[in-house]
Amino acid sequence: MKTRSWLVIPVVVCLLGAACQSARTQSSPQPQVIAVPQDEMTKPPGTQPAGPAQGNTAPVMQAPPADPGTGPKKLSYNSCNVEGPYIALTFDDGPHATLTPKLLDMLKERGIKATFFVIGQNVVANPQILQRAVAEGHEIGNHSWNHQAFTKAGTTGVTMQVTQTNDAIENAIGKKPVILRPPYGATNASITKRLNEEYGLKVIMWDVDPLDWKYRNSEKVKSEILKNTKAGSIVLAHDIHATTVNAMPETIDALIAKGFKFVTVSELIAMDRPAPAPQASPASVTKTP
Ligand code: NI
């Protein structure tokens, strides 16, 4: 696969909280853009949500990671280039004792499949929720043990974060995950390579981020997702925030009305195909830095 890596330098933009617009401007037929994944990275000190993902280190800006996802064997994805209106909704930081089941109810009502990037210690606390999610067709991915940034964890720390969570997931649902989203999206080429080679994990970023952890506003969550989602998108959200979960019925119904179809991340990756040359779609060419 011929995919070009476009390093984006959104640090200042991220600091301003309007993070990483560049990642949103890409459309699916374009090259992968490895932007600084913001997740909660831009969260100012003291605004960590009360909840199971506590234990986070202070938010730290990461330099844009080198893109280890290019080349014949992709190790990471921000989005996919697919034929057809397929997207993957992803929910991080759970499972949450009450909000995740509520979200599962909404997804079940609509026959929608999603992907949950879970925190290991939350899995141990709520294994039955994970079992339900899998029984209803959703995919489970690793999102670390306690949301420590891998780039700050050291080799031993990363090993602990990955293996304890993999084990917790396997104990709950009988199999290890094949995908991982690093907390804050913080990774680098060597960590990503190691995750793949040692654990068989693909690193999953995102191209649509409603900054739901920041705004805590259901209307904003909905409008941002609807504005930015394209075929092949990987949509980031968090099922530990009531405002996010409450936004989902209208958001999903609107996405359905737009014709989108929902698959798990692994299903989306399986549909990924080589991107055409960047100039092939002039109407949607991204302005490069
Ligand atoms: Ni997270």
Side-chain angles (χ1 to χ4, degrees):
M1 171 174 295
K2 174 81 171 138
T3 308
R4 287 172 56 187
S5 167
W6 296 6
L7 289 181
V8 182
I9 309 174
V11 170
V12 174
V13 180
C14 284
L15 287 171
L16 292 173
C20 309
Q21 294 296 329
S22 53
R24 297 181 186 170
T25 58
Q26 67 176 328
S27 62
S28 57
Q30 295 179 335
Q32 288 269 314
V33 176
I34 304 296
V36 174
Q38 57 273 45
D39 201 357
E40 298 94 338
M41 279 173 66
T42 54
K43 202 175 290 182
T47 59
Q48 296 284 351
Q54 286 301 302
N56 298 354
T57 54
V60 177
M61 292 306 303
Q62 303 295 328
D67 181 2
T70 57
K73 185 182 180 188
K74 291 173 74 168
L75 309 184
S76 70
Y77 295 82
N78 285 56
S79 63
C80 291
N81 183 32
V82 298
E83 284 188 54
Y86 298 99
I87 63 173
L89 296 182
T90 68
F91 297 94
D92 290 10
D93 296 357
H96 184 283
T98 56
L99 291 174
T100 305
K102 188 176 177 184
L103 176 59
L104 288 170
D105 289 344
M106 297 171 182
L107 297 170
K108 188 176 184 181
E109 284 172 19
R110 292 162 178 81
I112 299 300
K113 286 196 282 184
T115 300
F116 292 85
F117 288 99
V118 296
I119 299 291
Q121 59 187 12
N122 296 347
V123 171
V124 171
N126 302 289
Q128 73 290 349
I129 297 176
L130 225 59
Q131 290 156 10
R132 178 187 165 188
V134 169
E136 294 177 0
H138 306 295
E139 182 170 19
I140 305 301
N142 186 326
H143 192 47
S144 84
W145 178 255
N146 61 2
H147 216 273
Q148 183 181 16
F150 286 5
T151 46
K152 303 289 182 186
T155 302
T156 307
V158 170
T159 299
M160 186 282 284
Q161 294 285 334
V162 174
T163 57
Q164 282 192 194
T165 305
N166 271 1
D167 290 348
I169 291 171
E170 185 173 28
N171 286 340
I173 63 171
K175 62 179 181 182
K176 286 187 167 68
V178 295
I179 54 174
L180 176 146
R181 175 171 286 153
Y184 313 103
T187 186
N188 57 41
S190 65
I191 291 173
T192 294
K193 186 166 182 279
R194 186 175 159 222
L195 291 170
N196 187 261
E197 291 182 351
E198 290 191 26
Y199 304 107
L201 291 162
K202 289 188 183 300
V203 171
I204 309 302
M205 301 298 197
W206 57 87
D207 69 320
V208 178
D209 182 0
L211 298 176
D212 59 326
W213 55 267
K214 181 179 180 182
Y215 293 113
R216 309 292 178 92
N217 179 304
S218 296
E219 275 302 314
K220 179 91 171 163
V221 171
K222 176 187 165 188
S223 63
E224 287 294 308
I225 290 175
L226 291 177
K227 184 171 67 180
N228 295 303
T229 300
K230 307 171 184 70
S233 280
I234 298 173
V235 180
L236 168 66
H238 297 82
D239 56 331
I240 59 169
H241 301 313
T243 41
T244 301
V245 173
N246 291 338
M248 283 304 124
E250 286 191 17
T251 303
I252 292 170
D253 289 344
L255 289 169
I256 292 171
K258 287 179 127 188
F260 287 113
K261 298 186 184 305
F262 302 79
V263 294
T264 64
V265 164
S266 285
E267 289 170 339
L268 194 70
I269 286 174
M271 289 188 262
D272 189 48
R273 58 189 181 149
Q279 300 308 318
S281 180
S284 57
V285 165
T286 303
K287 195 179 291 183
T288 54

